Amino acid sequence: MGQALIEIRHLSKSFQTKEAEITALNDIDLTIEGGDIFGIIGMSGAGKSTLVRCMNMLERPTQGTVLFDGKDLSGLGEQELRKVRRSMGMIFQQFNLLLQRTALENVCFPLEIAGMRQSDAKKRARELLDLVGLSDRAESYPTQLSGGQKQRVAIARALATDPKALLCDEATSALDPTTTQSILSLLRDINRRLGLTIVIITHEMSVVEKICNRVAIIDESRIAETGLVADIFTKPRTAAARKFVYPGAEGQAVSISKRCMRIVFNGTSSCEPVLAEMILACKAPVNILFADTKNLDGKAFGQMVIQLPEEKDLAQKMFRFIRAKGLDAEEADDYVG
Ligand SMILES: Nc1ncnc2c1ncn2[C@@H]1O[C@H](COP(=O)(O)OP(=O)(O)O)[C@@H](O)[C@H]1O
Ligand SMILES: [Mg+2]
């Protein structure tokens, strides 16, 4: 823990097509520490898949280096790379299971390739299916499994060779919200139990919010911002980060609205955490127009007027949030500060 597992330095990747040279990655620097659940978020076409494929050299960088566990991968040949790739499992949006093999046989596959005896491979595969909660579906074929179950098989298969890192490229993007939550919980559980480092590629902030400790925002082939998830949520510094943290705000700090809320603090809580939590829960910024609060022993007394987002649903959500915290909130139209 606390030590760099994946270090990317000045990494660039371009593709030569018939028509043009496409820059997919431009001077990327990134450090992923052992034990991290590291999110890489960006719009479609930003370069996410190319970046994750460069991490295990499925894609050779045009420039720059990738260090994995202190080892420079750029200089390695195919055979050595195959060995390194066993310590970096990978899962995908489309699961990529072998359709003619059962769940158990899919998990056995990388072990057979690594030369393990079939009976040992089967034993290990059963343990892994148990770990992902699928011991009762060992003999099922992929077409007999739901999306979430298929991704569990893919996770078990990726873990078969005891990797140090698991690279997930849009692993939940084909799943419904409930299944997404259960797969993310499984990944977090594996991170804690096995100390496995996990890289999560996604275009959804909710995925990052749910399990990542660190995040990098990739925008138009470059890293726009990187840091602790909590910091980027509360203080996004770049327009690219704001796009994800406040979707719909379209780069504007606060939408113009006359709708205001007066919050009365009566000593049940302190005020900053309540506001910060509300901003996080509602994913929208607010403007403080007026505040006359005193903090006594960590408890706030007084009142505050904040300007609410224009969208009615969002404004109502904020009212509900504040009231659920046991605070008095009333609408204050046309507040003049
Ligand atoms: N093999 C390739 N040949 C040419 N262009 C590619 C290739 N792979 C990716 N690209 C281009 O690189 C850019 C980044 O793609 P990708 O890494 O797949 O983005 P993301 O995963 O963020 O959607 C895109 O413009 C894409 O068209
Ligand atoms: Mg992609």
Side-chain angles (χ1 to χ4, degrees), residues 139-213:
E139 305 307 328
S140 300
Y141 286 88
T143 52
Q144 300 169 318
L145 299 172
S146 69
Q149 290 169 331
K150 280 187 258 202
Q151 197 59 291
R152 284 172 191 268
V153 176
I155 291 169
R157 182 179 61 179
L159 296 178
T161 49
D162 269 325
K164 291 196 171 122
L166 179 64
L167 312 177
C168 313
D169 191 357
E170 303 275 7
T172 57
S173 299
L175 306 174
D176 63 71
T178 311
T179 312
T180 293
Q181 294 301 314
S182 76
I183 293 292
L184 294 179
S185 303
L186 173 65
L187 291 175
R188 183 166 46 195
D189 187 47
I190 290 168
N191 164 262
R192 289 193 181 147
R193 278 164 64 179
L194 311 179
L196 186 78
T197 306
I198 300 184
V199 180
I200 304 264
I201 302 282
T202 182
H203 63 277
E204 293 173 295
M205 203 61 186
S206 58
V207 169
V208 171
E209 182 185 25
K210 172 93 201 251
I211 61 166
C212 297
N213 60 320

